[in-house]
Amino acid sequence: MIGLSMTAYPGRNLDGLGEWLEKAEELGFEVVELVSEWPHFLNRDNRRDYLELLESHSLRVTIHAPFSDLNIGSLNGRIRRVSIEILGETLRVASLLGAINVTVHPGHCSPVSRRYRGDYNMTHRASLMELEKLAEEHGVSVGVENMPNFPILDAQTPERLAELLEGINLGVTFDVGHLNTTTRDFEGFLRIFRGRIVSVHLHDNSGKLDEHLPPGDGTVPWKRVLPELPDVPKVLEVSSLADAARGVSYLRDIGGL
């Protein structure tokens, strides 16, 4: 299944979302990724608004959980607790919407967590264990996403993500564009997580910055990567419908979809 993320939706409210969903369907997308970030936070209060819009379309749903200002690896217990509560609410809503899966970001580093690395790792993994229990409670598949090259971000390599998730029953969201800014070891990532990947994010970049360009506009070796991807929802995370149209056209032209 090929999907389109709401990163390509320009509206600051939901007034134009129905029309946008129609255009996404016309482009051949089968899945929409609802991104629970400002100004489109997804919660118990507005879930019926989303549900009414989605019921008018045939698109399946995945959800990207909130990530800005959240940190499940925080050594500040109050910040960590609120972060888990918000993610827990997202999982509850995802269950009510019948979402295929939910993507979550791992925790990220701070000056204090860099100094007290052992405490940070223990806290981070404890949060992931809590998410494992919440995912089971709500019957929702969760994928923890690999991160791009950026100083404070964790899980930039498959080895580090595997270390964080060892012994924890959570899936993985494979962000191809993110990996292109770090190790570019696409085969290694797939080898480590082959049976664990629940979703794939597709976008391109120059290899240095997380630019979220349409596939084909950067340096990702798509002809090599696409045939190896597992049969899970593959979501374009680009900035506009025009970029989505160009990106999905490129992927179809090279026989990747």
Side-chain angles (χ1 to χ4, degrees):
M1 289 182 289
I2 184 69
L4 180 60
S5 175
M6 273 185 69
T7 57
Y9 175 62
R12 292 170 65 93
N13 54 49
L14 301 185
D15 291 347
L17 184 59
E19 181 180 355
W20 184 85
L21 292 172
E22 289 178 11
K23 292 179 179 178
E25 286 179 309
E26 290 170 2
L27 289 172
F29 290 103
E30 305 161 284
V31 176
V32 60
E33 179 186 67
L34 303 180
V35 181
S36 184
E37 275 288 303
W38 187 90
H40 308 119
F41 287 118
L42 179 62
N43 52 49
R44 286 170 292 184
D45 296 330
N46 63 13
R47 66 177 176 84
R48 286 188 175 83
D49 297 331
Y50 279 96
L51 188 59
E52 289 176 6
L53 285 165
L54 292 166
E55 285 177 341
S56 303
H57 302 275
S58 59
L59 294 164
R60 301 285 303 279
V61 175
T62 64
I63 292 175
H64 197 308
F67 52 92
S68 297
D69 305 319
L70 273 62
N71 186 7
I72 63 170
S74 178
L75 291 175
N76 183 320
R78 293 169 69 185
I79 291 174
R80 187 179 82 91
R81 176 52 46 198
V82 169
S83 298
I84 292 172
E85 288 176 359
I86 291 171
L87 294 178
E89 180 182 30
T90 303
L91 295 181
R92 286 194 294 273
V93 174
S95 178
L96 294 170
L97 292 180
I100 301 170
N101 56 58
V102 176
T103 292
V104 301
H105 280 196
H108 56 266
C109 300
S110 67
V112 70
S113 62
R114 288 188 184 279
R115 181 177 180 183
Y116 298 101
R117 192 70 177 180
D119 296 278
Y120 165 73
N121 283 334
M122 183 173 62
T123 298
H124 197 167
R125 281 179 47 79
S127 295
L128 291 166
M129 291 175 192
E130 289 190 57
L131 287 179
E132 175 189 17
K133 293 177 183 178
L134 289 167
E136 183 177 357
E137 176 184 340
H138 297 294
V140 175
S141 172
V142 170
V144 183
E145 186 174 10
N146 60 298
M147 293 289 97
N149 179 27
F150 194 77
I152 68 169
L153 298 182
D154 204 343
Q156 296 185 30
T157 69
E159 292 80 10
R160 174 57 178 164
L161 183 56
E163 178 185 357
L164 285 170
L165 292 176
E166 183 178 3
I168 300 173
N169 188 27
L170 291 173
V172 168
T173 292
F174 178 22
D175 193 300
V176 177
H178 287 176
L179 196 68
N180 196 55
T181 69
T182 58
T183 69
R184 304 192 85 239
D185 184 10
F186 304 102
E187 291 80 7
F189 194 103
L190 291 166
R191 183 173 60 253
I192 291 172
F193 295 117
R194 172 63 67 181
R196 202 167 182 176
I197 296 171
V198 299
S199 189
V200 175
H201 287 166
L202 306 176
H203 54 93
D204 218 328
N205 55 64
S206 64
K208 297 180 181 180
L209 301 175
D210 186 26
E211 299 166 284
H212 283 260
L213 303 175
D217 281 13
T219 62
V220 172
W222 294 106
K223 291 181 181 179
R224 192 177 95 219
V225 172
L226 283 172
E228 303 301 321
L229 295 177
D231 185 19
V232 298
K234 300 172 181 67
V235 178
L236 263 71
E237 286 194 332
V238 293
S239 300
S240 68
L241 279 173
D243 281 358
R246 190 163 78 254
V248 77
S249 177
Y250 169 79
L251 295 177
R252 287 174 179 146
D253 286 346
I254 64 172
L257 298 178

